[in-house]
Amino acid sequence: MAKKITTIGGQALMEGIMMVGPGRTTAAFCSPEGSIATEDIEVDRLTKKYPILGKPFIRGVFAMIDTLRLGYKALSLSADKLTDGEEEELTGLDKWLEDHLGDKMTGIIMTIGSVLGMGLAIVLFFMLPTFLFNLAQGALAVDISGWRSVFEGLLRILIFLGYVLLVSLLPDIKRVFQYHGAEHKTIFCYEDDLPLTVENVRAKGRFHPRCGTSFMALMLLLGIIVGFFIPFSNPVLRTVVKLLCIPVIVNIGYEVQKLCARHDNLASRIIRAPGLWMQRITVKEPDDKMIEAAIAAMEAVIPENGEDLIQ
């Protein structure tokens, strides 16, 4: 009899994997020599600290915030692990940053990178589609305003797919996607109530309905629907309204994904299909050492009281 779990998830890292349980979060890292080390990650999750934030149609946004906070801390830890024990003589800007920022340098650089990344995402995914549609509308002799949301939504999907396909060509990102596969396979093995061994995990599928990639696909599709109700055509004004709508889309998408993960019927399979297809890009087959890391992280977060099971 398969288990139905709701509160165990994971995230692939550089040369490691993080598993998030209801009471504990643990990252497992593979060293170049092949050994595996685990380390707990401590973050006060908002949905645990304030129970009201864990209620349906509220929890989606705060669950995403918790995930981003955990991911940020795990990525910082992963970067530290990759450079552990390596002495490199710094020069130029790197030396100046090290002298003035010290141990804070990695965190500050990651924060700046995150802000710049968010700015680029707003331009590419919100302002650019509206701007291009306005150009197309002005160049055509017929009124196509009714197709605005579809055009913008499909363009956002193409931009996202293009970006993911491009980064998937990088060797380091390919390994991250392999760890992503190890995460999914291990969770499937646990859900099927099988012993967490490399052999059992290896035999499982790599496409999971609760994946973050599936959530992104669902968000993009829901954005098309919401776009029909935004009357503005000005790129800046339309972008502002879309940004304000993000919490609504996140909350709806979160509940829809949880519902589809619990039920297997025609409707849920149709809703899950785009995300599962997109995972063919972001989830790759892992090697045995990656599976061992996923198992180590998973075993650390499994609660003894069954808190992760659907009642």
Side-chain angles (χ1 to χ4, degrees), residues 219-289:
M219 289 269 292
L220 290 169
L221 293 174
L222 286 173
I224 295 176
I225 298 174
V226 171
F228 282 113
F229 300 95
I230 300 176
F232 308 110
S233 60
N234 179 276
V236 175
L237 185 57
R238 190 170 176 85
T239 295
V240 170
V241 176
K242 285 180 179 178
L243 291 174
L244 292 175
C245 288
I246 286 179
V248 177
I249 297 173
V250 169
N251 283 326
I252 294 174
Y254 186 82
E255 300 303 327
V256 170
Q257 187 176 43
K258 287 182 74 70
L259 189 65
C260 289
R262 292 187 181 192
H263 302 281
D264 186 17
N265 51 47
L266 180 60
S268 66
R269 287 194 291 271
I270 291 174
I271 294 172
R272 291 198 301 255
L276 294 175
W277 181 88
M278 198 175 291
Q279 286 181 47
R280 296 180 182 277
I281 305 172
T282 65
V283 186
K284 303 299 184 182
E285 285 291 341
D287 60 34
D288 287 354
K289 187 56 64 175

Side-chain angles (χ1 to χ4, degrees), residues 152-266:
E152 294 177 355
L154 290 178
L155 186 55
R156 281 194 295 271
I157 292 173
L158 289 175
I159 292 172
F160 180 74
L161 285 175
Y163 168 77
V164 173
L165 284 169
L166 186 63
V167 300
S168 69
L169 300 177
L170 301 174
D172 287 342
I173 300 300
K174 183 179 179 181
R175 287 188 62 80
V176 172
F177 289 170
Q178 287 181 283
Y179 277 108
H180 197 177
E183 168 213 332
H184 286 186
K185 284 172 169 281
T186 304
I187 291 177
F188 268 132
C189 189
Y190 175 62
E191 287 179 329
D192 289 342
D193 208 13
L194 295 173
L196 294 177
T197 65
V198 173
E199 292 74 18
N200 287 339
V201 171
R202 192 192 303 122
K204 293 301 172 183
R206 70 181 196 266
F207 307 130
H208 200 286
R210 293 200 309 276
C211 174
T213 302
S214 291
F215 182 68
M216 283 299 301
L218 186 56
M219 289 269 292
L220 290 169
L221 293 174
L222 286 173
I224 295 176
I225 298 174
V226 171
F228 282 113
F229 300 95
I230 300 176
F232 308 110
S233 60
N234 179 276
V236 175
L237 185 57
R238 190 170 176 85
T239 295
V240 170
V241 176
K242 285 180 179 178
L243 291 174
L244 292 175
C245 288
I246 286 179
V248 177
I249 297 173
V250 169
N251 283 326
I252 294 174
Y254 186 82
E255 300 303 327
V256 170
Q257 187 176 43
K258 287 182 74 70
L259 189 65
C260 289
R262 292 187 181 192
H263 302 281
D264 186 17
N265 51 47
L266 180 60

Side-chain angles (χ1 to χ4, degrees), residues 36-64:
I36 296 173
T38 61
E39 188 166 337
D40 285 351
I41 299 176
E42 299 293 337
V43 172
D44 288 333
R45 282 186 267 174
L46 296 174
T47 50
K48 293 290 185 182
K49 189 175 182 180
Y50 306 103
I52 186 66
L53 302 183
K55 299 298 182 182
F57 294 102
I58 298 176
R59 58 190 174 184
V61 169
F62 297 100
M64 188 172 74

Side-chain angles (χ1 to χ4, degrees), residues 32-143:
E33 296 77 26
S35 62
I36 296 173
T38 61
E39 188 166 337
D40 285 351
I41 299 176
E42 299 293 337
V43 172
D44 288 333
R45 282 186 267 174
L46 296 174
T47 50
K48 293 290 185 182
K49 189 175 182 180
Y50 306 103
I52 186 66
L53 302 183
K55 299 298 182 182
F57 294 102
I58 298 176
R59 58 190 174 184
V61 169
F62 297 100
M64 188 172 74
I65 293 172
D66 284 342
T67 299
L68 291 174
R69 291 169 65 221
L70 283 168
Y72 178 85
K73 194 161 186 178
L75 288 173
S76 299
L77 181 60
S78 178
D80 292 340
K81 292 289 183 182
L82 285 174
T83 58
D84 188 29
E86 295 183 5
E87 295 292 335
E88 183 179 352
E89 185 177 352
L90 301 178
T91 59
L93 180 60
D94 290 337
K95 187 177 187 304
W96 186 90
L97 290 172
E98 177 68 24
D99 291 340
H100 288 78
L101 301 178
D103 295 338
K104 297 179 181 179
M105 182 174 69
T106 300
I108 292 175
I109 291 175
M110 290 185 66
T111 300
I112 293 173
S114 298
V115 172
L116 292 176
M118 289 180 61
L120 181 61
I122 290 173
V123 172
L124 288 178
F125 288 95
F126 294 95
M127 299 190 71
L128 180 62
T130 299
F131 175 75
L132 291 179
F133 183 86
N134 288 347
L135 283 181
Q137 173 112 303
L140 296 175
V142 295
D143 181 19

